[in-house]
Amino acid sequence: MMGNDTSQLNSLEIEEKATEITDFWAHHQATISDSCRYFSLKSDGSVSVFKGETILGPLWTASTPLEKFSNNLLKYRHPCIVRYISAWQQRSTFHLATEYVQPLAHVLSSQTPLQICIGLNNILQALVFLHEQASMSHNNISLSSIYVSGDGQWKLAGLQYLCPFSELNAAYLKHSRIHRYDKAVDPNEDSYEITSKVDQYAFAVLVEDVFKGHNDDEVPHLKEFKKYCRNYLQNPNPERRPNLSEVLRDNFFNHEFISIYKFLNFLPLKTEEEKSEFFSSILSNLKGYDEVTVAKQLGGLLLSRLTLLDQTARRDVLPFLLKPKNDRFINGECMGFFTLSVFKEHVKPRLLQLFGVRDGQIRMLLLSHFTKFVHVFTHEELSQHILPELLVGIKDTDDSLVASTLICLSELVPILGADTVVGGKRSKLFTDGRPKSTTTKSDSELFKVNKGLTDFHCSERIYPVNTGTSTYDQNMSLNERPSPVGGESNDDIDTVLELNRNANIVSEDEWDDWENTNQQLVSVSLEQSSDMLIENKISIETNLGKELINNDTVKTENGKATTHSTLLHKAAVEAKKNMVDISELDIKNQKVDVTKKNDEIDFFADMMPVIEKQKVVTVNDNTPDFIHKLNFIPDEGDDENEAWGENWNE
């Protein structure tokens, strides 16, 4: 009996619902969470578990059918036979864990004719191995004894009827017939003296079953091969049935697609010249086939270790396989071989496996093409599978490997974020040192900002003469900036506006040379502005006097003649006096009585400094204790030792 209670795999979770139930066992899917990432294509620890109860019978006196199946899987290892993992007994139930497989009957309808052709080739190779290398007869070739692995390869199972040719006789076949596939059993099997050709007859029946519903022209030489199976493999005379190794030489198993498959399978046996010639033309030969079939059947072989290490394949094949097909990169760049959907389904799982391989050459190859396929992974796959493997690479002693790894990590920063890639707490250590004047606004925009509203062209006059709007309201709408001194009277409002315009003109003239400004230019500009202020004020007062003389006069309540502009001026003064606003508390907005004609306004009245007289404290030098520094008396409540730093009492 194989195994015991302690041989059960750790962290094994078996699904309750069975995938398949036969006379001998129930087939369940399961996962191993902590290991066995290579048991399935998905790298998620998926496995298959077969559970079988004890069955009595003439063939199972020494062991149950599942135990015999387990023993033969463990003993006869072949790439085309289901891979054994572990077996154990739990109470009265025997458990067998194998690689992840599915029954062929469940997926046969989705198989293409080329996939079926390659699948039959795999089963035939497994049978040749059993017949010629192990001298064993399978005795149960049928759909129920064939499984499909996670990467789409057909695998032979059903080894519970396996026996040596020396023990194969009519009695053995008679005892096992009750559980064998009836259609695959030769009706005249009991009458034959030669019993070593049982598997040939069953294989011919299998070919007929798997190609049911397909046309004979879908696969090269299919029609001829079916005829060959009926005439030779199912010949009533067992002596005329050929060995299965001869069947492998038929044209049906040697057309172009299968030849490529066989070459990749036996790549270690090929010479360098053969491999160079093969990889230089393989992609052009595969373009005529369905890409899904190519990805399923050849994807694993094209990304195998031996292919990745071959120099010709690294130059002529892998750059196309490791890049999804995208029509946007036609000009100047190579096109990918697989479309994005096929790449994600069949190539991406293998890339996840390859990142776990600790081979420097393979890792460097993946890193060199990382930018081509990084976008096909999800955030979870990048953070949980790719990133941990890349972080291992930066600790290697190979400087080239570390440098390439750091480049690939930089590609993950925009996708996963720096917190995930770098880790740890980050803070802003760098600032933007670009000049704001050159980065935020252009020179023309800055020039416009410094210009007042009066400098822009307007369709109407800013100061209409014959309207009822006060000058104060007009000025408020312009929102002009007052002088920094803050003491102008209302008579000087026009003067201030004119000064602002003149000052802006000066600044416009000097704007182009702002980079070469110095203190001398600034002082000269200030002196020119001061002179201009005096000249403009005199000019405005002269023009104002002329305007008062030329304007029409009106009679006031006192009977005095007054100009229209004088009335507007008084209305503005009255409105300003009655205005209640917090801005009036500002020294710049203090009210000035402009009714006094002869009083001169002191603009610096509020800026007069207050100088307090220095207080002089007389000290009695006659006190004898004054000269001693230790006679200091602290204030009440203060610590006498405070702020001295040492204890002065000691």
Side-chain angles (χ1 to χ4, degrees):
M1 180 180 297
M2 283 298 300
N4 50 42
D5 291 342
T6 60
S7 64
Q8 181 177 354
L9 297 175
N10 295 329
S11 303
L12 179 66
E13 298 180 2
I14 304 176
E15 297 181 2
E16 295 182 0
K17 184 179 180 180
T19 303
E20 176 192 27
I21 298 178
T22 65
D23 296 337
F24 304 135
W25 58 67
H27 178 196
H28 298 260
Q29 303 298 353
T31 57
I32 303 176
S33 58
D34 61 347
S35 62
C36 304
R37 59 183 303 182
Y38 301 107
F39 291 156
S40 69
L41 180 64
K42 300 179 180 179
S43 299
D44 56 357
S46 297
V47 295
S48 292
V49 176
F50 298 85
K51 295 182 179 181
E53 302 292 338
T54 302
I55 297 178
L56 300 177
L59 297 177
W60 329 117
T61 54
S63 60
T64 65
L66 185 57
E67 288 177 333
K68 188 173 183 181
F69 176 34
S70 176
N71 291 336
N72 289 329
L73 285 183
L74 179 63
K75 184 176 182 180
Y76 303 106
R77 303 294 187 98
H78 189 270
C80 297
I81 297 178
V82 175
R83 179 183 176 187
Y84 171 91
I85 295 178
S86 180
W88 66 94
Q89 181 79 31
Q90 189 173 7
R91 297 182 178 89
S92 61
T93 304
F94 186 84
H95 295 73
L96 169 64
T98 67
E99 63 176 322
Y100 175 81
V101 291
Q102 302 178 75
L104 175 61
H106 292 183
V107 298
L108 182 60
S109 59
S110 61
Q111 297 276 305
T112 64
L114 282 177
Q115 289 179 283
I116 295 174
C117 181
I118 292 180
L120 290 174
N121 177 79
N122 290 353
I123 301 303
L124 195 59
Q125 288 184 352
L127 290 174
V128 171
F129 165 75
L130 292 175
H131 284 194
E132 299 183 0
Q133 302 297 326
S135 299
M136 304 289 288
S137 178
H138 187 276
N139 305 321
N140 189 34
I141 302 299
S142 63
L143 284 175
S144 61
S145 61
I146 300 175
Y147 291 86
V148 181
S149 63
D151 56 354
Q153 304 299 322
W154 288 20
K155 299 293 184 76
L156 182 63
L159 303 186
Q160 62 272 17
Y161 297 105
L162 195 69
C163 71
F165 283 117
S166 59
E167 299 179 5
L168 185 61
N169 49 42
Y172 185 89
L173 295 175
K174 183 178 180 179
H175 289 307
S176 62
R177 183 174 301 175
I178 188 174
H179 298 293
R180 293 162 59 195
Y181 182 40
D182 293 337
K183 189 178 178 179
V185 176
D186 188 352
N188 301 320
E189 186 177 73
D190 295 337
S191 61
Y192 296 148
E193 295 181 359
I194 299 176
T195 58
S196 60
K197 302 299 180 69
V198 174
D199 290 341
Q200 280 85 337
Y201 187 94
F203 184 80
V205 175
L206 177 65
V207 172
E208 183 180 352
D209 289 343
V210 296
F211 277 111
K212 185 179 297 183
H214 293 278
N215 298 327
D216 293 343
D217 57 351
E218 293 180 345
V219 180
H221 312 292
L222 176 59
K223 184 177 181 179
E224 294 83 356
F225 184 67
K226 286 183 176 180
K227 185 178 180 180
Y228 174 82
C229 291
R230 290 191 297 267
N231 295 337
Y232 293 95
L233 296 181
Q234 291 180 308
N235 194 292
N237 185 3
E239 294 182 357
R240 300 187 60 182
R241 298 174 185 173
N243 295 329
L244 293 179
S245 57
E246 297 180 11
V247 180
L248 280 175
R249 292 192 289 268
D250 189 85
N251 293 332
F252 179 74
F253 294 110
N254 290 280
H255 57 81
E256 184 182 49
F257 192 81
I258 287 206
S259 298
I260 294 175
Y261 177 81
K262 289 181 177 180
F263 192 97
L264 292 172
N265 263 326
F266 297 100
L267 194 62
L269 305 179
K270 306 299 180 180
T271 62
E272 293 297 329
E273 292 76 10
E274 292 175 336
K275 289 189 290 185
S276 178
E277 181 181 358
F278 173 78
F279 284 120
S280 61
S281 60
I282 182 175
L283 291 183
S284 59
N285 295 333
L286 291 177
K287 286 183 178 180
Y289 298 96
D290 178 52
E291 65 172 350
V292 176
T293 303
V294 174
K296 285 183 177 180
Q297 301 301 322
L298 305 180
L301 297 173
L302 290 173
L303 295 177
S304 64
R305 180 186 181 89
L306 294 176
T307 304
L308 295 176
L309 296 179
D310 186 82
Q311 295 298 326
T312 307
R314 293 165 71 100
R315 184 186 69 247
D316 298 335
V317 179
L318 296 177
F320 300 89
L321 295 182
L322 296 179
K323 178 181 180 181
K325 185 183 296 183
N326 195 331
D327 295 336
R328 293 177 299 177
F329 299 97
I330 297 179
N331 298 328
E333 293 191 22
C334 61
M335 291 288 294
F337 188 82
F338 298 112
T339 59
L340 183 60
S341 58
V342 175
F343 191 95
K344 288 183 177 180
E345 183 178 359
H346 300 287
V347 181
K348 183 178 72 172
R350 299 190 180 278
L351 292 177
L352 291 175
Q353 288 182 330
L354 290 175
F355 270 100
V357 177
R358 301 295 173 83
D359 187 291
Q361 295 298 320
I362 295 178
R363 174 59 64 88
M364 285 295 295
L365 176 66
L366 296 176
L367 296 178
S368 62
H369 299 282
F370 187 74
T371 56
K372 299 178 181 178
F373 57 76
V374 62
H375 62 280
V376 305
F377 297 104
T378 62
H379 279 66
E380 181 181 0
E381 291 169 342
L382 288 174
S383 59
Q384 297 184 7
H385 298 281
I386 303 300
L387 180 59
E389 294 296 341
L390 291 179
L391 295 178
V392 173
I394 63 176
K395 299 179 181 179
D396 194 79
T397 56
D398 188 351
D399 292 343
S400 300
L401 180 62
V402 174
S404 300
T405 303
L406 292 174
I407 295 175
C408 294
L409 287 175
S410 67
E411 296 290 336
L412 295 180
V413 173
I415 303 175
L416 301 178
D419 291 338
T420 303
V421 178
V422 180
K425 296 182 179 180
R426 296 185 301 132
S427 59
K428 189 171 182 58
L429 303 176
F430 293 86
T431 59
D432 189 356
R434 295 175 297 177
K436 294 183 178 180
S437 58
T438 59
T439 57
T440 59
K441 296 182 180 180
S442 62
D443 292 344
S444 60
E445 291 175 337
L446 289 173
F447 174 76
K448 292 180 180 180
V449 169
N450 291 332
K451 296 181 69 175
L453 292 177
T454 57
D455 296 322
F456 294 94
H457 296 287
C458 184
S459 59
E460 298 180 359
R461 293 187 60 184
I462 301 178
Y463 305 105
V465 177
N466 298 322
T467 61
T469 306
S470 64
T471 307
Y472 177 79
D473 293 336
Q474 296 172 6
N475 295 337
M476 287 295 293
S477 64
L478 293 176
N479 195 22
E480 285 291 343
R481 176 177 176 269
S483 175
V485 178
E488 295 87 356
S489 64
N490 290 314
D491 293 335
D492 297 329
I493 292 178
D494 295 338
T495 304
V496 174
L497 293 176
E498 187 68 16
L499 285 175
N500 289 337
R501 288 194 292 270
N502 294 332
N504 287 330
I505 294 174
V506 174
S507 62
E508 293 168 8
D509 296 335
E510 296 177 354
W511 182 255
D512 293 335
D513 298 329
W514 68 277
E515 293 181 350
N516 299 323
T517 57
N518 50 40
Q519 295 181 356
Q520 181 177 359
L521 292 178
V522 172
S523 61
V524 171
S525 177
L526 291 176
E527 293 176 0
Q528 293 176 355
S529 300
S530 178
D531 296 339
M532 189 176 298
L533 174 61
I534 298 174
E535 293 175 1
N536 290 335
K537 184 173 182 181
I538 296 173
S539 176
I540 291 172
E541 290 177 353
T542 304
N543 295 333
L544 182 59
K546 293 180 181 180
E547 184 180 0
L548 292 175
I549 297 173
N550 296 330
N551 286 339
D552 296 335
T553 60
V554 295
K555 291 293 184 176
T556 63
E557 295 178 357
N558 298 330
K560 295 181 180 180
T562 308
T563 62
H564 179 72
S565 59
T566 305
L567 292 176
L568 295 178
H569 175 68
K570 289 183 178 182
V573 173
E574 192 67 23
K576 186 173 182 180
K577 288 181 179 180
N578 297 331
M579 182 178 63
V580 179
D581 195 298
I582 194 171
S583 62
E584 293 181 358
L585 300 177
D586 194 346
I587 189 173
K588 299 184 293 184
N589 300 324
Q590 285 186 355
K591 298 179 180 179
V592 181
D593 189 3
V594 298
T595 58
K596 298 179 182 181
K597 299 181 178 179
N598 299 325
D599 293 342
E600 185 177 358
I601 300 173
D602 187 5
F603 293 96
F604 303 95
D606 296 332
M607 301 179 63
M608 183 66 67
V610 179
I611 302 176
E612 295 182 0
K613 186 177 180 181
Q614 183 177 7
K615 296 180 181 180
V616 180
V617 181
T618 60
V619 181
N620 189 5
D621 296 339
N622 297 326
T623 305
D625 297 334
F626 173 74
I627 60 176
H628 200 287
K629 68 176 182 178
L630 298 180
N631 289 339
F632 173 76
I633 301 176
D635 295 338
E636 294 183 2
D638 295 340
D639 187 2
E640 60 181 0
N641 294 325
E642 184 180 0
W644 287 99
E646 58 182 332
N647 190 355
W648 289 84
N649 294 328
E650 295 179 358

